[in-house]
Amino acid sequence: EELCAAGAGGEVLDLQDYDLPMSDGGVCYGHEHVAGLAPKVHHAKGIIVATAIYNYDVNAATKNFLELTGKAWEGKVVGFICAAGGHGSYMSVMPFANSLMLDYRCHIIPRFVYAAPSHIDETTFGDKAVNQRIEELAAETQRLTDALFPHKSQ
C-alpha cells in the first residue's frame, strides 16, 4: 500500500504460496516455481524483503529464495522490513545485505524497518513509529529506483 502511495507499482510474493525446493547449487533452477519467480525478481527495479529474524539472521526461506533466484537480483535496489523476537537483533539483516551488495551489486537502502513483538498488535503491523518507517522506506525505494533506473519499466 505504501509503495502505491509513493507512486510505485508492485507485487507481493509470499513465499508460503510457493512450493520451492531447497537450493541444490543449480539443478533446481528449472523447477516450475523457481522458473516463475526468477523473472519477477529480474524485472523489478526495487525489492523490499519482508522477513522474520531467527538466530540473528534472516530466515531460511529468505536465504533459500536468494539462492534459487541468484543472478536475477543483480543491481536491484533492496530494502528490508524485519520482524524479530527481541530488540537485540536489529542488525541481523547485515550478512544478507552484504551478500546482496557483494555478490549481486545491489543497492541497499540504509533505512531498515525493524519491529520487535512489542511493536506489533493483532490489527496492524505496528505502532505509529513502525508505520512511519514503512512509509519512509516506500518513499526512499521509489526515489532511489527512479534515480537509478529512470527509463526502466516497473
Side-chain angles (χ1 to χ4, degrees):
E1 292 173 0
E2 293 303 328
L3 283 171
C4 289
E11 179 179 354
V12 174
L13 299 178
D14 186 341
L15 297 183
Q16 294 179 91
D17 295 339
Y18 299 90
D19 183 21
L20 294 176
M22 291 303 297
S23 177
D24 60 1
V27 175
C28 56
Y29 291 137
H31 185 278
E32 65 180 302
H33 290 162
V34 175
L37 289 173
K40 292 176 185 281
V41 173
H42 175 74
H43 292 296
K45 293 191 297 185
I47 299 168
I48 295 179
V49 176
T51 185
I53 300 296
Y54 294 112
N55 293 322
Y56 299 97
D57 205 345
V58 300
N59 67 24
T62 302
K63 290 189 271 187
N64 187 56
F65 181 64
L66 174 62
E67 291 296 326
L68 292 172
T69 54
K71 289 189 182 285
W73 289 77
E74 287 185 354
K76 304 298 177 209
V77 172
V78 180
F80 293 95
I81 299 175
C82 303
H87 296 282
S89 57
Y90 66 93
M91 291 185 60
S92 297
V93 75
M94 289 309 299
F96 190 78
N98 285 336
S99 177
L100 288 169
M101 286 187 297
L102 297 173
D103 295 337
Y104 303 107
R105 307 298 185 253
C106 291
H107 307 275
I108 304 301
I109 301 170
R111 181 182 299 278
F112 301 165
V113 176
Y114 182 87
S118 61
H119 297 127
I120 303 169
D121 63 36
E122 295 294 321
T123 58
T124 67
F125 184 69
D127 61 22
K128 186 175 181 179
V130 171
N131 287 309
Q132 177 65 35
R133 290 194 304 269
I134 291 171
E135 290 172 16
E136 292 168 354
L137 176 63
E140 190 69 359
T141 301
Q142 181 64 28
R143 186 182 75 78
L144 289 174
T145 56
D146 284 349
L148 291 170
F149 311 108
H151 302 295
K152 185 176 179 182
S153 62
Q154 305 243 0

